Amino acid sequence: MALIKEPDLGTPGRPGEPTVTVQVDGMSVAVPEGTSVMRAAALTGIDIPKLCATDTLEAFGSCRLCLVEIDGRKGTPASCTTPVTEGMRVSTQTPKLEKLRQGVMELYISDHPLDCLTCSANGDCELQDMSGTVGLREVRYGYEGENHLDAPKDTSNPYFDFDASKCIVCSRCVRACDEVQGTFALTIEGRGFESKVSPGAGGSFMESDCVSCGACVQACPTATLQERSVVDLGMPSRSVITTCAYCGVGCSFKAELRGDQVVRMVPYKDGGANEGHSCVKGRFAFGYATHPDRVLRPKVRERITDPWREVEWDEAIGFVGTRLRDIQARHGTGSIGAITSSRCTNEEVYVVQKMVRAVFGNNNVDTCARVCHSPTGYGLKQTFGTSAGTQDFKSVAKADVIVLIGANPTDGHPVFASRMKRRLREGAQLIVIDPRRIDLVRSPHIEAAHHLQLAPGTNVAIVNALAHVVVTEGLADLDFAAERCEGFDEWAEFIARPENSPEAVEPISGVPAAELRAAARLYASAPNGAIYYGLGVTEHSQGSTMVMGMANLAMATGNIGREGVGVNPLRGQNNVQGSCDMGSFPHELPGYRHVSDDAVRTVFENLWGSPILDEPGLRIPNMFDAAIDGSFRALYVQGEDIAQSDPNTKHVTAALEAMELVVVQDLFENETAKYAHVLLPGTSFLEKDGTFTNAERRINRVRPVMAPKTGKHEWQIVCEVAQAMGYDMHYDHSREIMDEIAATTPTFAGVSFDKLDKLGSVQWPCNESAPEGTPIMHVGQFVRGRGHFVQTAFVPTEERSTRRFPLILTTGRILSQYNVGAQTRRTANVVWHPEDLLEIHPHDAEVRGISDGDTVSLASRVGETTLRARIVDRMPVGVVYTTFHHPVTGANVVTTENSDWATNCPEYKVTAVQVGLKQSASGRSAEATARDLQTLSD
């Protein structure tokens, strides 16, 4: 495919019907009211010269290149800032305009390096293009006067440079940082000839508030801001549209290449989830795909203490098939199982669960969603009837009050966070419910109306208190509850009880009752109230209860079934929604249909030619327990590093050591591979051919930009393992797998590669009743018919602080790193986060003699690790926080086996711990420091 050049209409579109008719150079066009003259002209095929204008940013009118003449008006107004009016007659090409534009361009060129032939942006420079467009042939001013040609270059950022000598001060980078990203890291400093782009008081991009999202690079019309990869490799020559493989936002990108080498990833303007925006991971951190650590050939060994032996594919697959059959013969059909990956495509996940059911002959299949969003699936299915979020991401633009619970989208889902921040700057109100003061509580041009800084583990008490106010103060939407829901009266009686009041909850949660009441009133009285949540909701012993509690709150206020409302999980990994959709849970077949359903099983049995058990199989925690007990003997792990990501690491590794066969299919030798007998190389997203499903149920195509470096697609490997076990599983192309999914799964019935290629993406359900997908769920009625109110009693977690472990640890993510860091740690992103740090409140640090930067021990009842301390006041006293991106830290060594009552989702967010000084930042040991303190006290 040739290099894709997306059209730029100059200024953003305006909503509404095309009711205003205007003539541009004699051509008529009808556009919505408020449309700029520039955009109207572009819609007729007339591109007015421009430098400061682009259709991703509001018009600025600074470059004076887009001048036009309008009948009946004096002067030459800027077309980008001039709205059309009915009957307007515009001329874009006249001798007067030609002379003015050439004069403007002369001024730009007189202060710009004339190095076009050697410039990295040659052929992709708007200044170069516009010089030709306006017919500039000479520069009368010369190049000897005052200029900026010796301006310094900022090379501090690992991914792009800022060459001030080439800057034309169009402000596009500044406006992109403000309007698109919402970070406000850049500004124009100085006036007149001294004007220049500045990254603020820091002096360089790396020292500024810049989050390296790339919006400024994308907006720059010259080589002032340029990717280093373009400088090193040259301009790309072809594009492939694909989907990011990091978080659950599911951004669409143009992978731009020279040959089969990726030069850069450019966010795709037509991407349904991101609409041309990106974050530092998706935009720049793709280098792991070609990292020398990649495993490209299969490896096997008899025992985990043996060295690896590289083998050919046939030997590796034969080894796996023979061992699995042998283990089943000796230990029974249920002695083996698999874990699917939320980083793999729907098609790759589907064939793994098919292998388990049709080939292994059991339902022992689970997915990493078990340890993150399984309570979402359970809770939303019980209340709404389907295991997914209710809205598309665009919906947030219609929200008036946003409740953000247990999520940190600026770090975990940054592109969606930019959408949310845009809406907040427009006037929407924000309620943050989180033990930690995340950036959205207060950041440039944004301040939350309420920050309910609750004690970890008290989520359910908080949501019940909010609902208590709604019911007892007459704020409920009784008509909605009566018309569309069931169980409201019983639930209302339960929620109105005194134990659910804000006053009763205050001593439990630490949140003042007055704040709870004010937040409840704000949400309930909003025309549109939306709830967004993350792992801070689900990774608790009452995760499922909390999801149902949020659903109750939304139904009670009528905030379901239209734009700007809903209950929306911010899924962590790129295909965690898809891996669940594909039947990766031990109790459900694809489409969330229980294995006990005879009719559903019959569909798959007829297609697969194999019986399917009607009893659920083992969940991940059950697999580990059974392995230690001796009844579970082999595990196929697809693309998950369970030895780093799952809780109570010692228990996980003991289970892996107890198995006769562990097969790991992944890009790198991860922590789990240390306990594996077979290592099957996986493919990066740049080599995959299939689909991902993001957090808004959007099914996006993942197109290969290069052939698999391993020689095989991952779905082919699984099929060959099945064949080695005696089952004929074969597909010629991944599109055939999607066709099988569509044929067996009602919510995917209308999905095909051809449709995705035509429409770009669709949101399930996609079927006869919704042939182009379903952006908003539960319109008119719920999937289950009537929404179901569930009583959500607060049950305190068993994990409590004690004298031995007086602090509570909670965990989360950081912007530059992703999950267990296997991908991002192999990119330049490590410059922002080279290690996991323990955030500790100044009071808790002081009483322990801990200073900023000291090495500390972090211990719980199940394990201990060591890391450096960072003293901050983001958490309340008694709460500490860390990330889990580096295996050397191994944060999950200390997390316990406590889990959600319904789904076994681990309680990562509440672990009782103690923190102690190991080594001061000056190099002094804890013992020496203690002696000094004792001497002072004496």
Side-chain angles (χ1 to χ4, degrees), residues 81-280:
T81 56
T82 304
V84 297
T85 58
E86 180 63 34
M88 178 183 280
R89 300 170 67 88
V90 180
S91 296
T92 70
Q93 298 293 333
T94 68
K96 180 180 180 179
L97 294 173
E98 180 181 345
K99 186 175 180 180
L100 287 171
R101 289 171 182 160
Q102 288 179 353
V104 169
M105 187 59 69
E106 278 187 275
L107 292 171
Y108 280 119
I109 298 301
S110 70
D111 190 26
H112 196 81
L114 294 182
D115 60 352
C116 290
L117 292 180
T118 57
C119 178
S120 59
N122 186 22
D124 189 36
C125 173
E126 293 179 43
L127 184 67
Q128 186 182 55
D129 294 342
M130 290 303 108
S131 296
T133 297
V134 303
L136 185 65
R137 297 294 178 264
E138 63 175 341
V139 178
R140 294 167 293 170
Y141 307 112
Y143 306 97
E144 304 303 322
E146 187 176 4
N147 58 55
H148 300 94
L149 300 183
D150 60 350
K153 181 183 290 189
D154 181 351
T155 60
S156 60
N157 190 284
Y159 292 120
F160 59 84
D161 295 334
F162 174 69
D163 187 349
S165 70
K166 297 181 178 181
C167 181
I168 61 173
V169 200
C170 65
S171 296
R172 274 166 57 166
C173 59
V174 177
R175 291 182 286 138
C177 189
D178 296 355
E179 297 175 26
V180 179
Q181 170 57 28
T183 296
F184 297 85
L186 303 178
T187 188
I188 299 294
E189 189 177 273
R191 300 187 63 173
F193 187 75
E194 300 303 320
S195 297
K196 63 179 182 179
V197 172
S198 170
S204 73
F205 273 79
M206 277 300 285
E207 295 170 315
S208 73
D209 293 330
C210 170
V211 294
S212 299
C213 67
C216 58
V217 180
Q218 184 81 351
C220 183
T222 68
T224 306
L225 283 159
Q226 183 68 280
E227 300 96 332
R228 289 188 180 179
S229 57
V230 174
V231 177
D232 294 341
L233 301 174
M235 289 303 302
S237 58
R238 67 183 183 96
S239 307
V240 177
I241 299 171
T242 190
T243 305
C244 180
Y246 280 116
C247 78
V249 174
C251 295
S252 297
F253 279 88
K254 295 183 295 181
E256 296 191 344
L257 305 95
R258 287 179 68 89
D260 65 350
Q261 188 170 34
V262 177
V263 175
R264 62 185 176 189
M265 298 291 290
V266 179
Y268 189 43
K269 286 166 63 174
D270 283 343
N274 60 317
E275 295 182 309
H277 191 35
S278 61
C279 78
V280 61

Side-chain angles (χ1 to χ4, degrees), residues 367-405:
T367 182
C368 75
R370 175 68 56 207
V371 300
C372 61
H373 268 285
S374 51
T376 287
Y378 180 87
L380 293 183
K381 189 166 187 178
Q382 296 300 309
T383 51
F384 296 163
T386 190
S387 302
T390 61
Q391 315 293 121
D392 60 0
F393 289 144
K394 293 179 183 178
S395 171
V396 75
K398 299 293 181 68
D400 300 297
V401 172
I402 299 167
V403 182
L404 185 64
I405 310 179

